[in-house]
mmCIF file of all heavy atoms in Angstrom:
data_model
loop_
_atom_site.group_PDB
_atom_site.id
_atom_site.type_symbol
_atom_site.label_atom_id
_atom_site.label_comp_id
_atom_site.label_asym_id
_atom_site.label_seq_id
_atom_site.Cartn_x
_atom_site.Cartn_y
_atom_site.Cartn_z
ATOM 1 N N ASN A 23 0.821 -1.211 -0.003
ATOM 2 C CA ASN A 23 0.005 -0.008 0.009
ATOM 3 C C ASN A 23 0.866 1.250 0.017
ATOM 4 O O ASN A 23 1.658 1.488 0.927
ATOM 5 C CB ASN A 23 -0.906 -0.018 1.243
ATOM 6 C CG ASN A 23 -1.879 1.075 1.253
ATOM 7 O OD1 ASN A 23 -1.539 2.247 1.154
ATOM 8 N ND2 ASN A 23 -3.170 0.740 1.377
ATOM 9 N N PRO A 24 0.712 2.123 -0.995
ATOM 10 C CA PRO A 24 1.505 3.342 -1.056
ATOM 11 C C PRO A 24 1.282 4.289 0.129
ATOM 12 O O PRO A 24 2.184 5.038 0.504
ATOM 13 C CB PRO A 24 1.128 3.982 -2.369
ATOM 14 C CG PRO A 24 -0.017 3.231 -2.924
ATOM 15 C CD PRO A 24 -0.152 1.955 -2.168
ATOM 16 N N ASP A 25 0.072 4.283 0.715
ATOM 17 C CA ASP A 25 -0.184 5.123 1.860
ATOM 18 C C ASP A 25 0.608 4.672 3.063
ATOM 19 O O ASP A 25 1.106 5.500 3.862
ATOM 20 C CB ASP A 25 -1.668 5.183 2.188
ATOM 21 C CG ASP A 25 -2.479 5.827 1.082
ATOM 22 O OD1 ASP A 25 -1.960 6.775 0.431
ATOM 23 O OD2 ASP A 25 -3.617 5.393 0.850
ATOM 24 N N VAL A 26 0.744 3.356 3.235
ATOM 25 C CA VAL A 26 1.559 2.781 4.336
ATOM 26 C C VAL A 26 3.031 3.137 4.107
ATOM 27 O O VAL A 26 3.732 3.532 5.009
ATOM 28 C CB VAL A 26 1.341 1.287 4.502
ATOM 29 C CG1 VAL A 26 2.297 0.712 5.538
ATOM 30 C CG2 VAL A 26 -0.100 0.955 4.859
ATOM 31 N N LYS A 27 3.445 3.039 2.864
ATOM 32 C CA LYS A 27 4.841 3.378 2.520
ATOM 33 C C LYS A 27 5.142 4.802 2.853
ATOM 34 O O LYS A 27 6.168 5.130 3.440
ATOM 35 C CB LYS A 27 5.117 3.072 1.049
ATOM 36 C CG LYS A 27 6.579 3.272 0.702
ATOM 37 C CD LYS A 27 6.881 2.818 -0.710
ATOM 38 C CE LYS A 27 8.372 2.986 -0.952
ATOM 39 N NZ LYS A 27 8.786 2.346 -2.173
ATOM 40 N N ASP A 28 4.241 5.715 2.433
ATOM 41 C CA ASP A 28 4.430 7.134 2.736
ATOM 42 C C ASP A 28 4.526 7.364 4.247
ATOM 43 O O ASP A 28 5.431 8.067 4.736
ATOM 44 C CB ASP A 28 3.252 7.926 2.174
ATOM 45 C CG ASP A 28 3.337 9.429 2.402
ATOM 46 O OD1 ASP A 28 4.404 10.001 2.048
ATOM 47 O OD2 ASP A 28 2.340 9.979 2.937
ATOM 48 N N PHE A 29 3.613 6.738 4.989
ATOM 49 C CA PHE A 29 3.626 6.865 6.460
ATOM 50 C C PHE A 29 4.931 6.312 7.047
ATOM 51 O O PHE A 29 5.603 6.969 7.841
ATOM 52 C CB PHE A 29 2.440 6.116 7.023
ATOM 53 C CG PHE A 29 2.564 5.827 8.510
ATOM 54 C CD1 PHE A 29 2.483 6.831 9.434
ATOM 55 C CD2 PHE A 29 2.780 4.521 8.940
ATOM 56 C CE1 PHE A 29 2.603 6.557 10.786
ATOM 57 C CE2 PHE A 29 2.891 4.246 10.268
ATOM 58 C CZ PHE A 29 2.838 5.248 11.191
ATOM 59 N N ALA A 30 5.308 5.083 6.680
ATOM 60 C CA ALA A 30 6.483 4.447 7.280
ATOM 61 C C ALA A 30 7.764 5.209 6.964
ATOM 62 O O ALA A 30 8.635 5.338 7.840
ATOM 63 C CB ALA A 30 6.603 3.024 6.754
ATOM 64 N N GLU A 31 7.828 5.762 5.770
ATOM 65 C CA GLU A 31 9.027 6.561 5.401
ATOM 66 C C GLU A 31 9.056 7.878 6.155
ATOM 67 O O GLU A 31 10.123 8.257 6.658
ATOM 68 C CB GLU A 31 9.096 6.753 3.892
ATOM 69 C CG GLU A 31 9.490 5.512 3.150
ATOM 70 C CD GLU A 31 9.557 5.689 1.661
ATOM 71 O OE1 GLU A 31 9.123 6.745 1.129
ATOM 72 O OE2 GLU A 31 10.075 4.744 1.009
ATOM 73 N N LYS A 32 7.939 8.557 6.241
ATOM 74 C CA LYS A 32 7.890 9.825 6.952
ATOM 75 C C LYS A 32 8.133 9.624 8.431
ATOM 76 O O LYS A 32 8.763 10.448 9.069
ATOM 77 C CB LYS A 32 6.571 10.549 6.706
ATOM 78 C CG LYS A 32 6.513 11.139 5.332
ATOM 79 C CD LYS A 32 5.200 11.815 5.041
ATOM 80 C CE LYS A 32 5.213 12.465 3.642
ATOM 81 N NZ LYS A 32 3.912 13.042 3.302
ATOM 82 N N ALA A 33 7.660 8.504 8.977
ATOM 83 C CA ALA A 33 7.863 8.229 10.404
ATOM 84 C C ALA A 33 9.216 7.593 10.674
ATOM 85 O O ALA A 33 9.591 7.460 11.845
ATOM 86 C CB ALA A 33 6.743 7.275 10.879
ATOM 87 N N LYS A 34 9.955 7.214 9.608
ATOM 88 C CA LYS A 34 11.302 6.638 9.738
ATOM 89 C C LYS A 34 11.252 5.369 10.569
ATOM 90 O O LYS A 34 12.145 5.090 11.370
ATOM 91 C CB LYS A 34 12.298 7.615 10.301
ATOM 92 C CG LYS A 34 12.414 8.918 9.488
ATOM 93 C CD LYS A 34 13.407 9.859 10.148
ATOM 94 C CE LYS A 34 13.390 11.190 9.435
ATOM 95 N NZ LYS A 34 14.236 12.158 10.085
ATOM 96 N N LEU A 35 10.214 4.579 10.407
ATOM 97 C CA LEU A 35 10.056 3.386 11.250
ATOM 98 C C LEU A 35 11.209 2.421 11.144
ATOM 99 O O LEU A 35 11.691 1.909 12.147
ATOM 100 C CB LEU A 35 8.734 2.670 10.919
ATOM 101 C CG LEU A 35 7.451 3.469 11.153
ATOM 102 C CD1 LEU A 35 6.231 2.621 10.830
ATOM 103 C CD2 LEU A 35 7.393 3.966 12.584
ATOM 104 N N ARG A 36 11.665 2.132 9.945
ATOM 105 C CA ARG A 36 12.774 1.188 9.796
ATOM 106 C C ARG A 36 14.062 1.730 10.369
ATOM 107 O O ARG A 36 14.833 0.978 11.005
ATOM 108 C CB ARG A 36 12.960 0.784 8.320
ATOM 109 C CG ARG A 36 11.800 -0.147 7.873
ATOM 110 C CD ARG A 36 12.066 -0.717 6.514
ATOM 111 N NE ARG A 36 11.666 0.216 5.496
ATOM 112 C CZ ARG A 36 12.226 0.256 4.274
ATOM 113 N NH1 ARG A 36 13.217 -0.504 3.970
ATOM 114 N NH2 ARG A 36 11.807 1.144 3.409
ATOM 115 N N PHE A 37 14.322 3.031 10.244
ATOM 116 C CA PHE A 37 15.501 3.612 10.875
ATOM 117 C C PHE A 37 15.436 3.460 12.385
ATOM 118 O O PHE A 37 16.426 3.154 13.020
ATOM 119 C CB PHE A 37 15.671 5.084 10.468
ATOM 120 C CG PHE A 37 16.331 5.248 9.127
ATOM 121 C CD1 PHE A 37 15.595 5.776 8.083
ATOM 122 C CD2 PHE A 37 17.677 4.988 8.924
ATOM 123 C CE1 PHE A 37 16.160 5.953 6.839
ATOM 124 C CE2 PHE A 37 18.273 5.154 7.699
ATOM 125 C CZ PHE A 37 17.518 5.629 6.649
ATOM 126 N N TYR A 38 14.289 3.790 12.965
ATOM 127 C CA TYR A 38 14.154 3.674 14.402
ATOM 128 C C TYR A 38 14.307 2.255 14.878
ATOM 129 O O TYR A 38 14.899 1.991 15.931
ATOM 130 C CB TYR A 38 12.860 4.308 14.928
ATOM 131 C CG TYR A 38 12.880 5.819 14.815
ATOM 132 C CD1 TYR A 38 11.926 6.512 14.120
ATOM 133 C CD2 TYR A 38 13.904 6.518 15.436
ATOM 134 C CE1 TYR A 38 11.973 7.909 14.041
ATOM 135 C CE2 TYR A 38 13.977 7.928 15.355
ATOM 136 C CZ TYR A 38 12.996 8.597 14.663
ATOM 137 O OH TYR A 38 13.047 9.955 14.596
ATOM 138 N N LEU A 39 13.787 1.296 14.127
ATOM 139 C CA LEU A 39 13.974 -0.103 14.519
ATOM 140 C C LEU A 39 15.418 -0.487 14.430
ATOM 141 O O LEU A 39 15.928 -1.197 15.319
ATOM 142 C CB LEU A 39 13.093 -1.013 13.633
ATOM 143 C CG LEU A 39 11.597 -0.957 13.916
ATOM 144 C CD1 LEU A 39 10.823 -1.700 12.852
ATOM 145 C CD2 LEU A 39 11.302 -1.498 15.313
ATOM 146 N N ASP A 40 16.124 -0.050 13.389
ATOM 147 C CA ASP A 40 17.552 -0.343 13.274
ATOM 148 C C ASP A 40 18.348 0.301 14.427
ATOM 149 O O ASP A 40 19.345 -0.268 14.886
ATOM 150 C CB ASP A 40 18.125 0.189 11.954
ATOM 151 C CG ASP A 40 17.723 -0.629 10.745
ATOM 152 O OD1 ASP A 40 17.289 -1.805 10.939
ATOM 153 O OD2 ASP A 40 17.807 -0.113 9.629
ATOM 154 N N HIS A 41 17.916 1.449 14.859
ATOM 155 C CA HIS A 41 18.616 2.195 15.935
ATOM 156 C C HIS A 41 18.493 1.563 17.306
ATOM 157 O O HIS A 41 19.243 1.853 18.214
ATOM 158 C CB HIS A 41 18.093 3.624 15.942
ATOM 159 C CG HIS A 41 18.836 4.530 16.869
ATOM 160 N ND1 HIS A 41 20.124 4.920 16.632
ATOM 161 C CD2 HIS A 41 18.455 5.119 18.027
ATOM 162 C CE1 HIS A 41 20.524 5.725 17.633
ATOM 163 N NE2 HIS A 41 19.531 5.853 18.466
ATOM 164 N N ILE A 42 17.500 0.672 17.479
ATOM 165 C CA ILE A 42 17.304 0.043 18.794
ATOM 166 C C ILE A 42 18.550 -0.703 19.271
ATOM 167 O O ILE A 42 18.975 -0.620 20.422
ATOM 168 C CB ILE A 42 16.065 -0.892 18.744
ATOM 169 C CG1 ILE A 42 14.807 -0.030 18.649
ATOM 170 C CG2 ILE A 42 16.015 -1.770 19.993
ATOM 171 C CD1 ILE A 42 13.551 -0.808 18.368
ATOM 172 N N SER A 43 19.155 -1.479 18.356
ATOM 173 C CA SER A 43 20.470 -2.151 18.640
ATOM 174 C C SER A 43 20.503 -2.825 20.005
ATOM 175 O O SER A 43 21.485 -2.731 20.725
ATOM 176 C CB SER A 43 21.618 -1.143 18.548
ATOM 177 O OG SER A 43 21.679 -0.571 17.281
ATOM 178 N N GLY A 44 19.463 -3.532 20.351
ATOM 179 C CA GLY A 44 19.469 -4.301 21.609
ATOM 180 C C GLY A 44 19.160 -3.511 22.854
ATOM 181 O O GLY A 44 19.212 -4.053 23.981
ATOM 182 N N SER A 45 18.841 -2.231 22.748
ATOM 183 C CA SER A 45 18.587 -1.381 23.894
ATOM 184 C C SER A 45 17.103 -1.387 24.261
ATOM 185 O O SER A 45 16.257 -1.029 23.454
ATOM 186 C CB SER A 45 19.019 0.058 23.581
ATOM 187 O OG SER A 45 18.504 0.925 24.541
ATOM 188 N N LYS A 46 16.829 -1.806 25.500
ATOM 189 C CA LYS A 46 15.455 -1.801 25.992
ATOM 190 C C LYS A 46 14.878 -0.391 25.962
ATOM 191 O O LYS A 46 13.747 -0.194 25.526
ATOM 192 C CB LYS A 46 15.404 -2.364 27.411
ATOM 193 C CG LYS A 46 14.035 -2.294 28.046
ATOM 194 C CD LYS A 46 14.067 -2.756 29.486
ATOM 195 C CE LYS A 46 12.735 -2.580 30.149
ATOM 196 N NZ LYS A 46 12.767 -3.022 31.545
ATOM 197 N N GLU A 47 15.687 0.569 26.403
ATOM 198 C CA GLU A 47 15.199 1.988 26.473
ATOM 199 C C GLU A 47 14.801 2.472 25.073
ATOM 200 O O GLU A 47 13.743 3.092 24.929
ATOM 201 C CB GLU A 47 16.275 2.856 27.062
ATOM 202 C CG GLU A 47 15.868 4.318 27.165
ATOM 203 C CD GLU A 47 16.969 5.164 27.738
ATOM 204 O OE1 GLU A 47 18.090 5.134 27.224
ATOM 205 O OE2 GLU A 47 16.677 5.902 28.696
ATOM 206 N N LYS A 48 15.583 2.192 24.055
ATOM 207 C CA LYS A 48 15.307 2.638 22.727
ATOM 208 C C LYS A 48 14.025 1.961 22.169
ATOM 209 O O LYS A 48 13.269 2.585 21.488
ATOM 210 C CB LYS A 48 16.468 2.405 21.804
ATOM 211 C CG LYS A 48 17.636 3.333 22.076
ATOM 212 C CD LYS A 48 18.834 3.039 21.207
ATOM 213 C CE LYS A 48 20.021 3.904 21.559
ATOM 214 N NZ LYS A 48 21.198 3.569 20.745
ATOM 215 N N PHE A 49 13.873 0.697 22.518
ATOM 216 C CA PHE A 49 12.650 0.019 22.098
ATOM 217 C C PHE A 49 11.419 0.651 22.748
ATOM 218 O O PHE A 49 10.370 0.795 22.143
ATOM 219 C CB PHE A 49 12.707 -1.482 22.352
ATOM 220 C CG PHE A 49 11.420 -2.148 21.906
ATOM 221 C CD1 PHE A 49 11.139 -2.325 20.549
ATOM 222 C CD2 PHE A 49 10.459 -2.524 22.833
ATOM 223 C CE1 PHE A 49 9.931 -2.873 20.168
ATOM 224 C CE2 PHE A 49 9.255 -3.047 22.459
ATOM 225 C CZ PHE A 49 8.997 -3.217 21.102
ATOM 226 N N LEU A 50 11.558 0.979 24.041
ATOM 227 C CA LEU A 50 10.418 1.546 24.765
ATOM 228 C C LEU A 50 10.030 2.894 24.144
ATOM 229 O O LEU A 50 8.846 3.193 23.983
ATOM 230 C CB LEU A 50 10.746 1.699 26.263
ATOM 231 C CG LEU A 50 10.963 0.393 27.000
ATOM 232 C CD1 LEU A 50 11.283 0.662 28.450
ATOM 233 C CD2 LEU A 50 9.762 -0.560 26.895
ATOM 234 N N TYR A 51 11.055 3.695 23.752
ATOM 235 C CA TYR A 51 10.716 4.941 23.076
ATOM 236 C C TYR A 51 10.069 4.694 21.698
ATOM 237 O O TYR A 51 9.147 5.409 21.291
ATOM 238 C CB TYR A 51 11.970 5.825 22.879
ATOM 239 C CG TYR A 51 12.418 6.453 24.174
ATOM 240 C CD1 TYR A 51 13.741 6.375 24.582
ATOM 241 C CD2 TYR A 51 11.522 7.163 24.972
ATOM 242 C CE1 TYR A 51 14.153 6.958 25.778
ATOM 243 C CE2 TYR A 51 11.945 7.742 26.160
ATOM 244 C CZ TYR A 51 13.271 7.627 26.569
ATOM 245 O OH TYR A 51 13.656 8.194 27.726
ATOM 246 N N PHE A 52 10.508 3.682 21.013
ATOM 247 C CA PHE A 52 9.899 3.349 19.740
ATOM 248 C C PHE A 52 8.422 2.989 19.970
ATOM 249 O O PHE A 52 7.536 3.429 19.214
ATOM 250 C CB PHE A 52 10.610 2.183 19.037
ATOM 251 C CG PHE A 52 9.898 1.759 17.786
ATOM 252 C CD1 PHE A 52 10.114 2.465 16.597
ATOM 253 C CD2 PHE A 52 9.052 0.669 17.791
ATOM 254 C CE1 PHE A 52 9.466 2.063 15.425
ATOM 255 C CE2 PHE A 52 8.388 0.268 16.606
ATOM 256 C CZ PHE A 52 8.601 0.987 15.431
ATOM 257 N N SER A 53 8.130 2.197 21.006
ATOM 258 C CA SER A 53 6.743 1.795 21.288
ATOM 259 C C SER A 53 5.901 3.008 21.624
ATOM 260 O O SER A 53 4.757 3.117 21.193
ATOM 261 C CB SER A 53 6.705 0.813 22.452
ATOM 262 O OG SER A 53 7.334 -0.402 22.051
ATOM 263 N N ARG A 54 6.444 3.892 22.428
ATOM 264 C CA ARG A 54 5.675 5.133 22.766
ATOM 265 C C ARG A 54 5.441 5.994 21.539
ATOM 266 O O ARG A 54 4.377 6.594 21.409
ATOM 267 C CB ARG A 54 6.442 5.922 23.842
ATOM 268 C CG ARG A 54 6.495 5.249 25.189
ATOM 269 C CD ARG A 54 7.282 6.050 26.148
ATOM 270 N NE ARG A 54 7.445 5.322 27.421
ATOM 271 C CZ ARG A 54 8.299 5.699 28.358
ATOM 272 N NH1 ARG A 54 9.032 6.786 28.176
ATOM 273 N NH2 ARG A 54 8.384 5.012 29.449
ATOM 274 N N TYR A 55 6.422 6.038 20.662
ATOM 275 C CA TYR A 55 6.320 6.770 19.409
ATOM 276 C C TYR A 55 5.201 6.207 18.562
ATOM 277 O O TYR A 55 4.370 6.947 18.031
ATOM 278 C CB TYR A 55 7.682 6.706 18.713
ATOM 279 C CG TYR A 55 7.789 7.356 17.350
ATOM 280 C CD1 TYR A 55 7.536 8.688 17.172
ATOM 281 C CD2 TYR A 55 8.209 6.626 16.227
ATOM 282 C CE1 TYR A 55 7.664 9.289 15.930
ATOM 283 C CE2 TYR A 55 8.356 7.221 15.000
ATOM 284 C CZ TYR A 55 8.067 8.539 14.870
ATOM 285 O OH TYR A 55 8.225 9.148 13.625
ATOM 286 N N MET A 56 5.127 4.893 18.451
ATOM 287 C CA MET A 56 4.056 4.237 17.717
ATOM 288 C C MET A 56 2.689 4.571 18.299
ATOM 289 O O MET A 56 1.754 4.875 17.582
ATOM 290 C CB MET A 56 4.247 2.703 17.700
ATOM 291 C CG MET A 56 5.277 2.196 16.707
ATOM 292 S SD MET A 56 4.997 2.672 15.004
ATOM 293 C CE MET A 56 3.321 2.141 14.744
ATOM 294 N N GLU A 57 2.587 4.550 19.630
ATOM 295 C CA GLU A 57 1.329 4.907 20.282
ATOM 296 C C GLU A 57 0.971 6.374 19.959
ATOM 297 O O GLU A 57 -0.192 6.704 19.708
ATOM 298 C CB GLU A 57 1.443 4.710 21.787
ATOM 299 C CG GLU A 57 1.466 3.256 22.191
ATOM 300 C CD GLU A 57 1.704 3.072 23.702
ATOM 301 O OE1 GLU A 57 1.619 4.078 24.453
ATOM 302 O OE2 GLU A 57 1.944 1.933 24.097
ATOM 303 N N ALA A 58 1.944 7.258 19.976
ATOM 304 C CA ALA A 58 1.696 8.663 19.700
ATOM 305 C C ALA A 58 1.280 8.847 18.245
ATOM 306 O O ALA A 58 0.390 9.645 17.948
ATOM 307 C CB ALA A 58 2.965 9.500 19.989
ATOM 308 N N LEU A 59 1.865 8.098 17.333
ATOM 309 C CA LEU A 59 1.465 8.173 15.913
ATOM 310 C C LEU A 59 0.020 7.788 15.752
ATOM 311 O O LEU A 59 -0.752 8.453 15.065
ATOM 312 C CB LEU A 59 2.385 7.251 15.076
ATOM 313 C CG LEU A 59 3.791 7.722 14.844
ATOM 314 C CD1 LEU A 59 4.664 6.570 14.325
ATOM 315 C CD2 LEU A 59 3.829 8.908 13.868
ATOM 316 N N VAL A 60 -0.392 6.714 16.421
ATOM 317 C CA VAL A 60 -1.792 6.247 16.343
ATOM 318 C C VAL A 60 -2.744 7.287 16.924
ATOM 319 O O VAL A 60 -3.777 7.590 16.390
ATOM 320 C CB VAL A 60 -1.982 4.857 16.969
ATOM 321 C CG1 VAL A 60 -3.464 4.490 17.123
ATOM 322 C CG2 VAL A 60 -1.225 3.792 16.204
ATOM 323 N N ALA A 61 -2.315 7.825 18.089
ATOM 324 C CA ALA A 61 -3.176 8.846 18.754
ATOM 325 C C ALA A 61 -3.338 10.098 17.891
ATOM 326 O O ALA A 61 -4.478 10.569 17.724
ATOM 327 C CB ALA A 61 -2.557 9.202 20.107
ATOM 328 N N PHE A 62 -2.267 10.597 17.327
ATOM 329 C CA PHE A 62 -2.384 11.808 16.471
ATOM 330 C C PHE A 62 -3.120 11.473 15.160
ATOM 331 O O PHE A 62 -3.841 12.351 14.660
ATOM 332 C CB PHE A 62 -1.007 12.409 16.193
ATOM 333 C CG PHE A 62 -0.504 13.226 17.338
ATOM 334 C CD1 PHE A 62 0.570 12.807 18.112
ATOM 335 C CD2 PHE A 62 -1.123 14.420 17.690
ATOM 336 C CE1 PHE A 62 1.052 13.542 19.164
ATOM 337 C CE2 PHE A 62 -0.657 15.189 18.761
ATOM 338 C CZ PHE A 62 0.419 14.741 19.511
ATOM 339 N N HIS A 63 -2.958 10.266 14.684
ATOM 340 C CA HIS A 63 -3.688 9.873 13.475
ATOM 341 C C HIS A 63 -5.175 9.931 13.768
ATOM 342 O O HIS A 63 -5.958 10.513 12.998
ATOM 343 C CB HIS A 63 -3.284 8.461 13.046
ATOM 344 C CG HIS A 63 -3.977 7.948 11.888
ATOM 345 N ND1 HIS A 63 -5.093 7.146 11.980
ATOM 346 C CD2 HIS A 63 -3.760 8.071 10.561
ATOM 347 C CE1 HIS A 63 -5.532 6.811 10.764
ATOM 348 N NE2 HIS A 63 -4.712 7.383 9.885
ATOM 349 N N ARG A 64 -5.598 9.384 14.860
ATOM 350 C CA ARG A 64 -6.999 9.353 15.230
ATOM 351 C C ARG A 64 -7.512 10.806 15.489
ATOM 352 O O ARG A 64 -8.581 11.182 15.055
ATOM 353 C CB ARG A 64 -7.216 8.479 16.473
ATOM 354 C CG ARG A 64 -8.666 8.224 16.769
ATOM 355 C CD ARG A 64 -9.206 7.336 15.705
ATOM 356 N NE ARG A 64 -10.620 7.122 15.965
ATOM 357 C CZ ARG A 64 -11.521 7.000 14.993
ATOM 358 N NH1 ARG A 64 -11.147 7.044 13.778
ATOM 359 N NH2 ARG A 64 -12.756 6.836 15.273
ATOM 360 N N TYR A 65 -6.749 11.566 16.207
ATOM 361 C CA TYR A 65 -7.106 12.937 16.549
ATOM 362 C C TYR A 65 -7.280 13.811 15.314
ATOM 363 O O TYR A 65 -8.138 14.674 15.224
ATOM 364 C CB TYR A 65 -6.051 13.536 17.486
ATOM 365 C CG TYR A 65 -6.329 14.959 17.853
ATOM 366 C CD1 TYR A 65 -7.260 15.265 18.849
ATOM 367 C CD2 TYR A 65 -5.638 16.028 17.281
ATOM 368 C CE1 TYR A 65 -7.515 16.588 19.224
ATOM 369 C CE2 TYR A 65 -5.904 17.317 17.597
ATOM 370 C CZ TYR A 65 -6.857 17.605 18.584
ATOM 371 O OH TYR A 65 -7.112 18.892 18.942
ATOM 372 N N ASN A 66 -6.422 13.557 14.307
ATOM 373 C CA ASN A 66 -6.443 14.344 13.072
ATOM 374 C C ASN A 66 -7.363 13.798 12.020
ATOM 375 O O ASN A 66 -7.233 14.123 10.838
ATOM 376 C CB ASN A 66 -5.025 14.488 12.513
ATOM 377 C CG ASN A 66 -4.229 15.496 13.321
ATOM 378 O OD1 ASN A 66 -4.467 16.705 13.232
ATOM 379 N ND2 ASN A 66 -3.311 15.024 14.127
ATOM 380 N N GLY A 67 -8.272 12.929 12.408
ATOM 381 C CA GLY A 67 -9.293 12.471 11.479
ATOM 382 C C GLY A 67 -8.869 11.331 10.566
ATOM 383 O O GLY A 67 -9.418 11.164 9.498
ATOM 384 N N GLY A 68 -7.925 10.493 11.060
ATOM 385 C CA GLY A 68 -7.596 9.327 10.322
ATOM 386 C C GLY A 68 -8.820 8.429 10.104
ATOM 387 O O GLY A 68 -9.628 8.274 11.029
ATOM 388 N N ARG A 69 -8.976 7.909 8.910
ATOM 389 C CA ARG A 69 -10.162 7.161 8.629
ATOM 390 C C ARG A 69 -10.086 5.718 9.159
ATOM 391 O O ARG A 69 -9.000 5.185 9.360
ATOM 392 C CB ARG A 69 -10.461 7.138 7.113
ATOM 393 C CG ARG A 69 -9.403 6.504 6.286
ATOM 394 C CD ARG A 69 -9.738 6.619 4.800
ATOM 395 N NE ARG A 69 -8.663 6.017 4.000
ATOM 396 C CZ ARG A 69 -8.620 4.772 3.681
ATOM 397 N NH1 ARG A 69 -9.502 3.898 4.100
ATOM 398 N NH2 ARG A 69 -7.585 4.303 2.980
#
């Protein structure tokens, strides 16, 4: 899906996953970031 690709690239999801490098703290920030993305998506009228 091109919309998912646009989202994943703008959110830099693969870069953030690569950056975790075994760090629990970095993974926890990634998880919080994902939650924030979903929250703002919903708030901004995501369908």
